[in-house]
Amino acid sequence: MFEIGLACAVFGVRHSNLHDPWYDLRLCGVAPNTAAGTPGFVLNAPYGLDELARADTVIVPAVPEECMDGTREIPTVLTAALRRAADAGARIVSLCNGAFALAAAGLLDGRRATAHWEHTATLARRYPRIDVDDQVLYIDEGDVLTSAGMSGGLDLCLHLVRRDLGAKVANQLARVLVVPAHRPGGQAQFIERAVPETDDDSLTPVLAWATENLHEPLAVDELAARAGMSPRSFHRRMRAAVGTTPLQWLLGQRLARAQELLESTDLPIDHVGERSGLGTANNLRRQFALHLGVSPTEYRRGFPSTHPARDLRTAGSAVG
């Protein structure tokens, strides 16, 4: 139910003040109006699985525990519907252990994929043709995307909005949802602590300062000094608090800033590189090719300055 709630919060609520049109979310089940849920919750899906073939995006939330351990088979009508949707060109997405449904449909064979870290060993054992990665928050394979559990599913949903509507809209939506604007998919799925080790949250001021000064040549030693720590302690605290290194965190913030500048301004590419802290135009191009798979110019073409309405059609959600 949590994963379904995530999809509804991101795609089902019409955030037309952020972008118009918004997504059209339809909840689909193995049979229309058949109740399915967990103790204390009941969900009636108003649409059947035929709707999946008409969707641009199909989101599969978690599957029951017995479907993961093999004591209950994932319904063949669901796996067949997922394959038909994929053949029709839909983007197929799993949240948490919905990856088991994608695996049963054969959609993850030969691909990298992830799920909740407690169940990735089972996923790898049952489906040896999948390259299972238990360390990351989510994996984007283009037409097939998978995520870790719980908050990792929200990170993937925001990543989809970022892909479709741009960094600015995704950042605004994250603010509405009161969650971090951007956590890279490669960030650690399981970290030692969700918050820094001390109660004073001494990382918050320095990270806020860094995001306001990304255009400067920031060094880890400088950030550590501002936080009143040694570089070694700062590195350890960053790892414990946000699951990545200071340099990786900086790179993620700079890429996000460059994306927003490309979407919302007509600045030359070299100026975008300077303002985001990525330096020269050549380095900006290299980082975009490495992490986003496109050039800055190609990325900008997807977000013309006039921002015309874009046809998002249907985002479908299959529930088992």
Side-chain angles (χ1 to χ4, degrees):
M1 297 299 289
F2 180 81
E3 289 76 15
I4 295 172
L6 293 179
C8 290
V10 172
F11 304 109
V13 177
R14 294 193 178 279
H15 301 280
S16 54
N17 58 316
L18 304 183
H19 189 280
D20 193 16
W22 196 250
Y23 298 84
D24 176 17
L25 179 70
R26 301 184 181 185
L27 292 176
C28 307
V30 173
N33 299 314
T34 298
T38 55
F41 296 92
V42 174
L43 172 68
N44 290 309
Y47 295 95
L49 297 181
D50 289 346
E51 198 71 24
L52 271 59
R54 293 186 281 273
D56 284 332
T57 300
V58 175
I59 302 174
V60 183
V63 300
E65 185 80 23
E66 56 268 28
C67 289
M68 290 185 280
D69 62 25
T71 58
R72 172 185 167 192
E73 292 298 320
I74 292 173
T76 55
V77 291
L78 174 58
T79 55
L82 290 174
R83 286 192 292 268
R84 287 195 298 271
D87 290 342
R91 179 173 59 183
I92 310 296
V93 180
S94 68
L95 305 182
C96 191
N97 296 322
F100 281 81
L102 273 59
L107 299 179
L108 299 181
D109 289 352
R111 296 178 182 265
R112 284 182 67 232
T114 192
H116 192 290
W117 62 269
E118 287 187 314
H119 301 287
T120 46
T122 302
L123 182 65
R125 175 177 53 79
R126 292 193 61 197
Y127 302 99
R129 297 185 63 183
I130 303 173
D131 180 11
V132 178
D133 189 339
D134 63 356
Q135 298 296 311
V136 296
L137 288 175
Y138 57 85
I139 293 174
D140 183 344
E141 289 273 297
D143 56 343
V144 177
L145 302 90
T146 55
S147 82
M150 300 300 182
S151 62
L154 181 54
D155 289 314
L156 179 52
C157 289
L158 288 172
H159 172 73
L160 290 171
V161 174
R162 183 178 292 269
R163 266 184 50 171
D164 296 340
L165 303 178
K168 184 176 181 179
V169 173
N171 291 345
Q172 290 173 330
L173 177 58
R175 187 174 183 181
V176 171
L177 299 175
V178 198
V179 295
H182 178 58
R183 292 202 297 172
Q187 183 169 316
Q189 180 177 152
F190 178 77
I191 61 179
E192 295 177 10
R193 296 173 184 267
V195 296
E197 295 173 356
T198 60
D199 293 333
D200 63 1
D201 199 13
S202 56
L203 287 179
T204 300
V206 70
L207 297 186
W209 177 86
T211 58
E212 295 298 322
N213 293 275
L214 292 173
H215 58 286
E216 299 290 346
L218 303 176
V220 175
D221 287 358
E222 180 184 4
L223 297 180
R226 281 186 166 270
M229 305 176 195
S230 69
R232 183 174 180 180
S233 294
F234 184 72
H235 188 283
R236 185 176 66 251
R237 287 283 301 282
M238 284 286 290
R239 272 285 193 186
V242 298
T244 190
T245 67
L247 287 178
Q248 288 171 330
W249 180 85
L250 272 174
L251 177 59
Q253 298 301 309
R254 283 172 165 159
L255 283 169
R257 178 65 55 80
Q259 287 175 275
E260 187 167 344
L261 289 171
L262 288 168
E263 295 165 20
S264 59
T265 76
D266 295 321
L267 286 171
I269 298 300
D270 55 342
H271 290 187
V272 171
E274 292 170 2
R275 292 198 184 187
S276 63
L278 291 172
T280 65
N282 283 339
N283 188 54
L284 180 68
R285 295 186 185 99
R286 186 172 71 85
Q287 296 297 341
F288 263 59
L290 182 63
H291 297 283
L292 302 177
V294 296
S295 71
T297 301
E298 290 171 324
Y299 184 86
R300 172 172 269 167
R301 288 196 191 107
F303 302 93
S305 57
T306 53
H307 297 293
R310 303 174 71 199
D311 181 14
L312 299 177
R313 290 175 286 174
T314 301
S317 178
V319 295

